[in-house]
Amino acid sequence: MDLAHRLERLGTETAFAVAQAAAAWTAKGNRVYPFHLGDINIPTAPHIIEAMNAAIADGKTGYCPGAGIPPLREALAEDIGSRRGTSVDPGSIVVMTGGKPVITKFLQTVMNPGQEVLYPNPGFPIYESQIEYLGGTGLPYRYVPTEDGFAIDLDQVRSLITPNTVAIIYNDLQNPISAESTAAEREAIAALAQEHDLWVLSDEAYFEMRYEGESTSITTIPGMAERTVILYTFSKKFAMTGSRLGCAVAPPEVASIFATLNTNDESCTTHYVQWAGIEALRGTQQPVFDMLDILRERRDETCRLVNEIPGMQVAVPKSTFYVFPDVTGAMQRMGFATVGEFAEQALYNTGMSFCTRQHFGRRQPGEERDYIRLAYSGIDLADIQEGLGRLKDWVASA
């Protein structure tokens, strides 16, 4: 029997494939330093777990509204609005099982088969996967290296837009490259969206995962709230990756559609997890600050050690928990023709497990440099030091 042809267009989150290779190498008795997956090895705060358990004990284990329970929608509206300096109506909040469903439901709502959607490349691979799976045409836009990291190639974005383009996915505080827009860049994206009447998905998963400065949402620019959907997740800020809790902040007509899609797809987000979300938002925030202190120390040490490795360099990002080092010189020094080969041999020779540029979208014409992504959220400081020390010795010995 045949399967649906659209499955041929379905991608995956490729970091999980790297995790499988790392697990196989570990199973053979080898030491592995896990820089590949953006999970968090810091436990969910006890008061959040206690709220979840209390909700279970209180019988919050059945169905609930598809858009989310009202107390959580109210808490989210208050928190998201206050942190962005704007007003958010609880009716614009639709609770979902994490951030990923927001991507899919946004595309289901605004994109017809054959229409075009701009998306960042390198970028979160689920963007590309879902655009193509749902029958759209993905238009990848690139970043260019700067002294501080990376910037969107705005000239390329302008050149890609056609009358058939309906939306742009915009990931400020970006995975995998940790790029953060300047005010001018953010305003340029907003201007293009308004000029060409585009919908915008603003992926704000890392909005509060920052070590210096303040985050700004594109929705605060006049004319943007009515055309923008915010992707929000509890996974990062509250170390709740496995709890699967997030939401969309959407214009009313879109929020209504999202709620209907929820009813069709999942019925509802797990009831007792939503009560844990309320406690996360309204309870003590000290665990968030403590986690950021830990991650800041890991970031600083990761960047310091990377920049000591011959042929590797990286700017220190102000947000997320990734760094995206240029490894072109190290590869040339060691005679590797592809970054995939470099990563494979790094695993076997040093135990370092990481993703590469090729895991975050198809390489674009004109790309001359090679990069890897190191996620430091799931690895302790001592292992960061040991793993990167082994990588340094391996590269230096060539």
Side-chain angles (χ1 to χ4, degrees), residues 62-85:
Y63 290 125
C64 61
I69 59 174
L72 178 57
R73 297 172 76 192
E74 291 166 5
L76 280 163
E78 179 183 334
D79 188 81
I80 292 171
S82 65
R83 294 182 186 280
R84 287 157 181 78

Side-chain angles (χ1 to χ4, degrees), residues 193-270:
Q194 294 184 58
E195 177 185 351
H196 296 280
D197 196 24
L198 304 179
W199 287 100
V200 177
L201 175 62
S202 181
D203 185 341
E204 300 183 7
Y206 297 92
F207 192 84
E208 293 165 66
M209 298 301 298
R210 62 177 311 131
Y211 313 106
E212 294 91 25
E214 295 183 2
S215 298
T216 302
S217 175
I218 197 170
T219 57
T220 61
I221 297 174
M224 290 306 296
E226 54 265 41
R227 66 175 63 251
T228 302
V229 171
I230 293 175
L231 182 159
Y232 177 96
T233 177
F234 286 77
S235 294
K236 317 305 180 185
K237 177 181 177 182
F238 298 110
M240 294 176 65
T241 54
S243 296
R244 308 314 304 141
L245 184 62
C247 79
V249 185
E253 68 276 20
V254 175
S256 176
I257 295 167
F258 284 178
T260 301
L261 287 170
N262 278 4
T263 302
N264 277 265
D265 290 349
E266 303 94 16
S267 293
C268 58
T269 300
T270 305

